[in-house]
Amino acid sequence: MLNTSNLIDRIKLPFRKEKELFSAIFEMTGFYPRNIDFYKLALMHKSVTRRNSKGRPLNNERLEFLGDAILDAVVGDIVYRHFEGKREGFLTNTRSKLVQRDTLNRLAQEMGLMQLIQSSDHSTSHNSYMGGNAFEALVGAIYLDRGYDACMLFMKKRILKQLINIDKVAYKEVNFKSKLLEWTQKNRVRMDFKQISQSKDQTGSPVFECAVVIEGIEGCRGKGYSKKESQQLASKDTLQRLRREPQFIDAVFAAKTERTKMEEEPVQVVPDVEQQEDFIIAATATPSISPQEGIKHSSKRETNHSPKAETEGSLSQRETEETVADEFSLEDIKAIPEEKTREQIIAEAEAAAFAEEDR
């Protein structure tokens, strides 16, 4: 026999859970959902992904993407109107503080959103961004359910009025990596992040460990489930160490002084700019002397200035000129006679014979 009371309880259970979700969303947003399916999807982590009738995965990642864009626009509008006259850099910095993952995670915890997220047990133990991602997905669900104005009202009335002091957030520095980078640039010291290790925790999630290195000196280390998180923690601890340990600062600037001294030390050996033409082979023969140069040299060697010597010198000079002229005479250059053909030889022989007969 069918137990009617148990059947009724099983039928009422989904409706009771959905009614509880309606009430929870009203507490968080200030209004009841029109389409509860958007909110159910916003609370579904990818670790418990389901599939629709077409086989496509169902989780909150797409709503997270949409909510991220809407949240930037809404918070940008609020910050612009709240801080009248402030410059673009200040407004951008303030908006980034309000929508960064750490802030959204705190909001998800304070609102009770974390208790509504559907996920596997091991995911909640290590995923530090699950709450922030769900918050963005919630904003995406509100936008699809009620539009942009409802998102603006939700942020103004429920978030910035009840949970966040926008003025304190604007003037509080929370980006430790940016702050450390600003300090190193002002003091002209070199800074870098070195990855120490990459491992996995008990649930198989990646864990990163990074260290801050300033002028070759290791500062502090940080561990996190992403490189960005580990660098933030390492930067925060390094800033505190710089404030509290004068010896650390002294070591950093001593290393900087040593580095700049080595960079500014002059090089003693100056490179030679002359091009060595060692590819040219020098001639071994004695260069020839022109006749005129030979005459000049011979006249310079002449030391006797007597008339007879002058006469002999003049004769010697003339002989040299004649000899040189003979040596370079064009008469010695004759054309090579061409070979005679057989007809020419016969003709010349006949002509010679007729000439003898005439004599």
Side-chain angles (χ1 to χ4, degrees), residues 13-175:
L13 184 60
F15 291 99
R16 187 182 303 118
K17 287 186 176 181
E18 193 164 291
K19 184 178 179 181
E20 291 175 356
L21 182 59
F22 267 90
S23 300
I25 293 173
F26 178 80
E27 292 293 330
M28 288 187 295
T29 63
F31 49 80
Y32 286 106
R34 292 174 179 172
N35 188 341
I36 193 64
D37 292 334
F38 291 134
Y39 302 90
K40 289 180 178 179
L41 189 61
L43 298 172
M44 189 179 299
H45 188 255
K46 63 181 180 180
S47 60
V48 291
T49 298
R50 299 170 185 169
R51 297 189 178 274
N52 59 13
S53 57
K54 296 181 179 181
R56 295 176 180 175
L58 293 175
N59 54 55
N60 63 0
E61 287 186 336
R62 284 172 52 83
L63 280 177
E64 176 190 338
F65 164 79
L66 178 62
D68 179 51
I70 300 300
L71 196 60
D72 274 346
V74 170
V75 174
D77 190 339
I78 294 172
V79 169
Y80 178 84
R81 298 177 189 278
H82 186 83
F83 297 101
E84 186 177 354
K86 291 293 184 181
R87 295 186 177 183
E88 184 264 346
F90 175 86
L91 300 178
T92 301
N93 193 25
T94 302
R95 181 184 62 181
S96 65
K97 293 175 186 177
L98 290 171
V99 300
Q100 68 178 351
R101 285 291 185 272
D102 291 336
T103 303
L104 300 183
N105 288 336
R106 291 281 302 276
L107 289 175
Q109 194 66 42
E110 295 294 329
M111 294 166 56
L113 186 62
M114 290 292 296
Q115 287 73 23
L116 300 176
I117 299 175
Q118 299 181 35
S119 64
S120 60
D121 294 335
H122 75 275
S123 298
T124 57
S125 62
H126 74 273
N127 195 334
S128 58
Y129 297 145
M130 183 184 296
N133 296 340
F135 185 91
E136 289 179 340
L138 176 64
V139 174
I142 296 173
Y143 174 75
L144 293 177
D145 187 37
R146 288 181 169 266
Y148 181 84
D149 292 338
C151 296
M152 178 69 73
L153 186 65
F154 165 67
M155 290 300 299
K156 281 184 175 180
K157 300 296 184 181
R158 293 290 177 173
I159 304 301
L160 297 178
K161 187 176 181 179
Q162 298 180 5
L163 299 176
I164 292 181
N165 187 326
I166 188 172
D167 295 297
K168 287 185 177 181
V169 171
Y171 294 101
K172 181 181 179 181
E173 182 59 53
V174 294
N175 192 340

Side-chain angles (χ1 to χ4, degrees), residues 255-267:
K256 175 192 172 184
T257 303
E258 186 66 23
R259 172 180 60 82
T260 54
K261 179 181 177 181
M262 293 177 62
E263 291 177 353
E264 295 174 359
E265 186 175 345
V267 179

